[in-house]
Amino acid sequence: MATLLYRLGRFAFRRRHFTALFWVALLALAGVGAAGAPVAGNTSFSIPGTEAQKAFDVLEERFPGASADGATARVVFKAPAGEKMTDAGNKAIVRDTVEELSDGSEVARVTDPYQGGGVSRDGTVAYASVSYQVSGMELEESSRDSLKDAAEGARDAGLTVEIGGDALQAVPETGATEIIGIGVAAVVLVITFGSLVAAGLPLLTALIGVGIGVAGITALASTLELGSTTSILATMIGLAVGIDYALFIVSRYRAELAEGREREDAAGRAVGTAGSAVVFAGLTVVIALVGLSVVNIPMLTKMGIAAAVTVAIAVLIALTMVPALLGYAGRRVRAAGEKGKRRGREAREDEEKGNGTAKEKARRPNMGTRWARFVVRRPVAVLLLGVVGLGAAAIPASSLELGLPDDGSQPTSTTQRRAYDLLSEGFGPGFNGPLVVVVDAKNSDDPDAVFRQTGDDIKALDDVVSVSPAAPNKAGDTATITVVPDSKPSSVATEDLVHDIRDAGTGVKADTGADVLVTGATAMNIDVSQKLNDALLPYLTLVVGLAFLLLIVVFRSILVPLKAALGFLLSVMAALGAVVAVFQWGWLSGLMGVEETGPVMSMMPIFMVGVVFGLAMDYEVFLVTRMREAYVHGEKPDEAVVTGFRHGARVVSAAAVIMMAVFAGFIGSSESMVKMIGFGLAIAVFFDAFVVRMAIVPAVLALLGKKAWWLPKWLDRALPNVDVEGEGLRTEGDADAGEKGGSPDDRDLARV
């Protein structure tokens, strides 16, 4: 592989006009497609295989035209102090508002509070329910404007009015912190390379890659039913890995220049060595993201695949466009250590003048070398300190509670959150998460009796505030019953109630043959959490297993990949502990902009396992391949560890800081899910890069010695030789230089 990538790098360097034009044209094509694409259509949240989804499908079939998947809104009214919503003047305002809401072209129905029991017992709060014929993502902006205008008219008349529900669903905003994250990345690159041109290359190529990926997602959003969060995730991961991959190749290019190689040969060798690591690191990320499809949640599958495609684009751009831009940059990208060489010359001059201190300073090893030597001398202490520290950070994860965000997790500045609070105040916290019980009595002899029995059984359960009369369909064989819990939607008590209703439904089925199914947003969230919990172990086994096999091929070792996987488990558990501490317990919540603590998003554990594993393997591959390269070329195990840190520690540290800055930039998002993902990934990268890869990995390798690189002979013969160390490049440059006939461009293109 190293030889193939070497030739690809040289070809891209020589034919830089063609290579750059190709990627720019692809970006323009994707941009045109995105600009002309229709607005994303229905992105309804379906969960195949769950009871809530089955009930939803029954509603679609037995209640045609009910727009079960349509957007909904609750317009909540509160009377001024000392007044009631039942006062004649306030009644008139509400009825005028209801009449105005009913005029919308996409409105299916509007419920009058005074006819549908929508007034609180104390008379201070009332609500009108608005159902639409289309989903929240398909709703026209004019319908949203009409909803807001109607509410504003009631406000002007003296009432407090807020709007809840998904009708006001908007594309989440990431805020200015995302730009700050990119700015931090730029500063780190300038410090790392000491050159604006060299620092600009990774940023430019990463932005082009993300631009292609996000524009492609936007262009296909309507066709593939992709949600707005999909492009945010692709941006988050694509930007982080795109900068890192380009950073490693540019860094290796400068190192090759420092060895005295010509620029074209240096570009080829950078792609052949660091590029090999980029390919395998990218593969681990892609495996982790595509593996999310095993959970069988369509939205999660689409998010994972879209992000994986963006990562694949980042890999291809790093292998081709980076060397092309290096060709354009020419001498503006200098060899690594040129400043050090100048200091060395100055030191020799000082030595001739009798100044020995300058000479000693010039020979002083870099920080990565000094740290590696320290770890090699004290591996047990460093290992214990790292493991104990991560174990302590993971302790809060033992209190992990899972759920999905609702309007109660929105910032208090939003009308959705204020509507949620008003409904809780007037009707109780469970009113924000009503349960819809679907009774399918098609196979029953007396459907009406079944409906009554089901309602009576539910009324006898704990944590139930009210049970509505059964509402049958036209055929009379299916009915819906609305149950209002006493507890808020995200509480354990509400989850227990859902299970109790389902248990009662089992008895009804045994007696009558009717199916009793629980659905609604709250029940759907509970089923999603359970489905994700059940899928976590199979997913972890699949992703870690595939990546383990891949790393065996890369490192030709059993213990190194095993150590990499165990280190990942430590870092992801510590990161989950930090997420629980901030978003569930409320530690530093003000600093993170978390206005409402509560259960951790149910997707978070499995999502972090996938993404963090892929990113963790990035640092493992980049750092340990340099150690493997030194070991294969004859260095002792301890010396190879030091060599790996001498060449890779600074770059890996810079890459980690950049990735943390990019992820942390999404903490400013208005979407709680995006905020939590940004924080979780940023802290996970910190733990994995600076504790696991920079401390635990060299400590373990120092303790293992030669055993770290042990591989059974039969397996060594069976595995393909991918030559990540670049052994095949030792004579490649000379061989190419001696070839005759045909242009160098044509020779490299034919080989590739």
Side-chain angles (χ1 to χ4, degrees):
M1 173 175 285
T3 303
L4 175 67
L5 293 178
Y6 168 80
R7 293 168 177 164
L8 177 62
R10 291 190 63 181
F11 171 78
F13 187 94
R14 290 175 179 172
R15 294 293 183 91
R16 45 188 171 272
H17 301 313
F18 168 79
T19 305
L21 182 61
F22 170 81
W23 286 111
V24 171
L26 190 59
L27 176 62
L29 183 63
V32 170
V39 178
N42 186 2
T43 56
S44 56
F45 192 77
S46 63
I47 312 294
T50 61
E51 180 175 314
Q53 185 64 44
K54 182 179 178 182
F56 182 84
D57 295 339
V58 170
L59 288 175
E60 286 280 286
E61 176 187 348
R62 306 287 173 81
F63 292 83
S67 302
D69 63 341
T72 59
R74 274 179 170 176
V75 182
V76 187
F77 306 89
K78 184 177 181 180
E83 298 182 17
K84 303 284 187 181
M85 290 304 305
T86 52
D87 294 346
N90 292 334
K91 267 189 175 183
I93 295 171
V94 171
R95 283 177 173 157
D96 288 344
T97 305
V98 169
E99 184 177 351
E100 184 178 350
L101 290 170
S102 302
D103 293 338
S105 60
E106 294 181 312
V107 174
R109 59 188 174 278
V110 180
T111 303
D112 189 314
Y114 304 103
Q115 297 177 0
V119 182
S120 63
R121 289 183 180 179
D122 62 5
T124 60
V125 178
Y127 73 93
S129 294
V130 185
S131 300
Y132 292 88
Q133 299 171 1
V134 296
S135 68
M137 294 301 294
E138 293 176 304
L139 201 63
E140 293 182 1
E141 199 61 36
S142 59
S143 295
R144 291 193 178 94
D145 292 339
S146 298
L147 179 63
K148 295 175 185 177
D149 291 343
E152 192 61 37
R155 288 193 191 103
D156 293 341
L159 298 179
T160 298
V161 186
E162 303 296 346
I163 306 171
D166 62 352
L168 294 184
Q169 182 179 0
V171 177
E173 299 175 357
T174 53
T177 51
E178 181 185 350
I179 306 300
I180 295 174
I182 296 176
V184 171
V187 172
V188 173
L189 287 169
V190 171
I191 294 173
T192 302
F193 291 136
S195 164
L196 289 174
V197 175
L201 291 182
L203 280 175
L204 177 60
T205 54
L207 289 173
I208 290 175
V210 168
I212 294 172
V214 172
I217 291 171
T218 304
L220 298 173
S222 177
T223 304
L224 302 180
E225 298 181 0
L226 303 177
S228 57
T229 310
T230 303
S231 60
I232 292 179
L233 176 65
T235 301
M236 185 188 301
I237 296 178
L239 194 60
V241 299
I243 294 174
D244 278 7
Y245 294 164
L247 166 65
F248 280 101
I249 289 180
V250 173
S251 178
R252 189 58 185 255
Y253 170 76
R254 296 175 71 238
E256 295 294 337
L257 288 179
E259 295 290 330
R261 304 190 190 282
E262 294 295 328
R263 294 188 177 274
E264 180 183 323
D265 186 41
R269 289 178 180 273
V271 175
T273 51
S276 297
V278 165
V279 169
F280 284 102
L283 276 175
T284 59
V285 180
V286 169
I287 288 172
L289 291 170
V290 173
L292 291 171
S293 58
V294 304
V295 183
N296 195 26
I297 295 179
M299 185 188 80
L300 195 59
T301 299
K302 292 172 184 177
M303 288 172 63
I305 292 176
V309 171
T310 307
V311 171
I313 293 172
V315 171
L316 293 174
I317 283 185
L319 298 178
T320 56
M321 192 167 187
V322 170
L325 293 181
L326 289 172
Y328 283 119
R331 297 185 178 277
R332 286 186 290 273
V333 176
R334 299 173 300 184
E338 279 195 4
K339 292 182 178 179
K341 290 178 181 179
R342 288 197 297 269
R343 285 197 297 266
R345 288 194 297 269
E346 293 170 359
R348 286 193 294 272
E349 294 174 359
D350 290 340
E351 183 185 6
E352 293 173 358
K353 298 176 182 178
N355 187 353
T357 304
K359 178 182 178 182
E360 293 174 4
K361 186 176 180 180
R363 291 179 178 176
R364 187 181 181 186
N366 62 22
M367 185 176 294
T369 302
R370 297 197 300 274
W371 170 250
R373 288 174 180 171
F374 171 81
V375 174
V376 167
R377 288 196 304 269
R378 298 174 179 83
V380 176
V382 172
L383 179 61
L384 288 176
L385 185 61
V387 172
V388 170
L390 291 178
I395 290 175
S398 61
S399 302
L400 178 67
E401 296 178 8
L402 298 176
L404 284 177
D406 55 17
D407 284 348
S409 61
Q410 295 270 11
T412 53
S413 59
T414 62
T415 186
Q416 293 96 324
R417 171 60 187 277
R418 291 195 293 265
Y420 181 98
D421 292 340
L422 284 176
L423 288 172
S424 296
E425 174 189 332
F427 299 90
F431 197 79
N432 283 292
L435 306 174
V436 179
V437 179
V438 180
V439 186
D440 181 3
K442 191 173 185 179
N443 299 322
S444 175
D445 296 332
D446 189 355
D448 290 337
V450 173
F451 300 154
R452 287 193 299 272
Q453 178 185 343
T454 303
D456 292 340
D457 289 348
I458 295 173
K459 288 178 183 177
L461 298 175
D462 295 333
D463 202 53
V464 174
V465 171
S466 65
V467 179
S468 71
N473 62 347
K474 290 183 179 180
D477 58 6
T478 306
T480 60
I481 300 173
T482 302
V483 181
V484 177
D486 188 40
S487 305
K488 64 180 183 178
S490 58
S491 68
V492 175
T494 300
E495 182 177 348
D496 292 339
L497 176 60
V498 170
H499 294 311
D500 290 343
I501 295 174
R502 287 171 175 170
D503 291 340
T506 303
V508 173
K509 183 176 178 63
D511 295 339
T512 65
D515 287 325
V516 178
L517 308 171
V518 185
T519 188
T522 301
M524 185 72 82
N525 290 351
I526 292 170
D527 286 353
V528 169
S529 298
Q530 186 61 51
K531 190 177 182 70
L532 289 166
N533 285 339
D534 294 342
L536 182 58
L537 186 58
Y539 172 72
L540 187 63
T541 303
L542 172 68
V543 171
V544 175
L546 288 176
F548 181 78
L549 295 176
L550 184 66
L551 293 179
I552 289 177
V553 174
V554 174
F555 296 127
R556 307 196 75 79
S557 164
I558 298 293
L559 296 179
V560 171
L562 179 62
K563 172 264 307 168
L566 294 176
F568 149 74
L569 291 176
L570 276 174
S571 59
V572 78
M573 288 304 298
L576 274 176
V579 169
V580 170
V582 173
F583 290 88
Q584 187 176 310
W585 291 1
W587 293 4
L588 301 177
S589 57
L591 182 63
M592 298 297 168
V594 180
E595 296 188 13
E596 184 72 19
T597 59
V600 172
M601 182 183 64
S602 54
M603 291 183 185
M604 199 65 188
I606 198 166
F607 185 79
M608 283 189 67
V609 165
V611 177
V612 174
F613 182 78
L615 299 178
M617 293 307 102
D618 278 3
Y619 301 119
E620 181 75 14
V621 170
F622 290 134
L623 194 59
V624 180
T625 48
R626 200 65 190 254
M627 299 178 191
R628 167 76 181 172
E629 183 179 338
Y631 178 75
V632 167
H633 292 161
E635 292 188 11
K636 295 179 180 179
D638 286 357
E639 294 174 348
V641 171
V642 174
T643 299
F645 269 77
R646 179 186 306 122
H647 294 290
R650 177 173 177 168
V651 179
V652 169
S653 298
V657 171
I658 289 169
M659 196 171 281
M660 288 167 55
V662 172
F663 288 148
F666 288 85
I667 295 175
S669 173
S670 61
E671 179 69 40
S672 60
M673 182 173 73
V674 176
K675 182 189 294 287
M676 191 179 294
I677 289 174
F679 172 80
L681 294 184
I683 198 71
V685 168
F686 172 77
F687 286 144
D688 196 87
F690 292 106
V691 181
V692 175
R693 308 304 153 188
M694 289 291 181
I696 293 178
V697 166
V700 172
L701 291 178
L703 290 171
L704 292 175
K706 290 184 178 180
K707 295 178 183 177
W709 309 108
W710 171 79
L711 187 69
K713 292 183 179 179
W714 64 268
L715 185 57
D716 187 38
R717 291 191 296 268
L719 292 176
N721 183 13
V722 296
D723 189 23
V724 177
E725 303 85 19
E727 187 67 23
L729 300 183
R730 285 179 170 254
T731 58
E732 182 67 25
D734 296 337
D736 279 355
E739 286 181 355
K740 304 294 182 183
S743 71
D745 298 334
D746 294 337
R747 290 197 303 271
D748 279 346
L749 180 58
R751 289 171 176 173
V752 174

